[in-house]
Structures are given as C-alpha cells and as structure tokens.
Amino acid sequence: MKQRVNPIEPLAFRFADDGLVPNHPCWPMLVYPGAVPLPDDVDPAAVLEDIFAANGWGDSWRNGIYGFVHYHSRIHEVLGIARGGAEVRFGGDKGKVLEVKAGDVAVLPAGTGHQRLSGSADLLVVGAYPPFGTYDLCRSPEQHAEALRTIPRVGRPDKDPLYGGDGPLLKAWSQD
C-alpha cells in the first residue's frame, strides 16, 4: 500500500471551541493534499478503503459529507476524497473553509466539526475509523457538555491511516 501513497507532510489545523463544536483540545486536524494518486483504471474508493484498512482504520463507508455542522465525540475519523471535489468547513462556524479534491485525505480527531458547503455532482468520499471508539453524531448545543468529557478520553490511534506506524499523525498527536 505504501507505494500507493505519496510522501506528503500534512497541513495541521487547530480550532477553538466555538460553543457548539468543541473541536479537540490538543490534537490538530491533519490534511494530506494529493496524498493518494487515483488512476482512472481502478475504483478510487477501493484504493482508499484498502489503504485505510491496511493501516488498521476500518468500518469504512462511501458517501459524501453532511451539509450540516456536526462532529463525533467518541471516535476519530479519516475522510478520503475518492472522486470530485468539495468546499468543506472544518472546525465549526468559526473554523476554516478548505477546498478538497480527489486524492486528498483529512484526519479529524474526535470533536472536530465538519460540514460540506458545496460539492461537485460526482463527489465521493470514503470514511473510516480507528479500531476503537464508538461512532456518534453530535450537532446540538445539548451535546456539548458531554462531548467535552468524552473527547479527551478517545485515545490516539496506533497508526496513521495513510502511512501506518511511521506516519506523521503519531508525532502530531503526541501523548505528552
């Protein structure tokens, strides 16, 4: 799988709690622009699924990104853009808007807000999760206080979803 991934140093983004979206108190969201070359002659979603699975990130799905602000308080998430492109706001209403396109990968620590603002008609996203944690979908003010308690309890994965045990995520999400 490593030959299918370009050696990219990720961009790191930190977001403050905006009152609705807590974001992660310590760990940045990582974005690997153009990390995965997606040849025309293969199923691009399958390429991303295989890479994520080889690095211990499973329970994958294929779809898009919700058009409403949400976050996950009990699990981390990786989003790989398999086809098309989108404008996504990360970090909640006071976060950052990024253009993502096929081959880009974003790794969101628990609590990181995300929302698709616009997307191409052919947008296809592959999502996956580390081998621990519980999927939840948070989007209301009433969930904020509990999320502040659960987010720091979600442990660091043993592997970066793209680069495995040697990946940049392990340094960026240090446990010091």
Side-chain angles (χ1 to χ4, degrees):
M1 285 302 129
K2 285 189 179 185
Q3 69 275 17
R4 287 190 172 171
V5 180
N6 290 329
I8 301 287
E9 197 59 37
L11 306 173
F13 299 91
R14 294 181 186 276
F15 307 109
D17 182 335
D18 70 4
L20 174 65
V21 176
N23 293 297
H24 199 280
C26 301
W27 297 336
M29 176 185 82
L30 302 177
V31 177
Y32 298 88
V36 182
L38 298 168
D40 292 334
D41 61 340
V42 298
D43 175 359
V47 170
L48 290 166
E49 290 164 345
D50 289 349
I51 292 168
F52 298 159
N55 291 307
W57 290 62
D59 293 329
S60 65
W61 50 264
R62 297 178 182 198
N63 204 334
I65 298 171
Y66 290 129
F68 52 83
V69 177
H70 66 286
Y71 62 93
H72 312 292
S73 70
R74 299 174 183 271
I75 200 162
H76 310 301
E77 183 174 46
V78 60
L79 302 173
I81 311 302
R83 193 171 50 237
E87 186 176 72
V88 180
R89 180 183 298 125
F90 293 101
D93 287 341
K94 296 179 182 175
K96 182 157 183 74
V97 176
L98 298 176
E99 293 281 339
V100 293
K101 63 185 183 331
D104 293 350
V105 173
V107 187
L108 288 61
T112 303
H114 46 299
Q115 172 188 16
R116 177 190 38 77
L117 300 176
S118 64
S120 61
D122 64 342
L123 178 65
L124 178 60
V125 178
V126 172
Y129 308 94
F132 58 84
T134 303
Y135 179 86
D136 64 350
L137 182 69
C138 302
R139 58 185 291 205
S140 73
E142 296 77 27
Q143 294 170 298
H144 187 267
E146 178 63 16
L148 290 176
R149 287 188 288 279
T150 59
I151 290 167
R153 295 183 193 154
V154 182
R156 184 185 77 172
D158 292 332
K159 294 182 178 179
D160 183 298
L162 288 178
Y163 303 103
D166 298 326
L169 177 139
L170 302 179
K171 183 177 177 186
W173 293 8
S174 69
Q175 295 178 304
D176 297 342

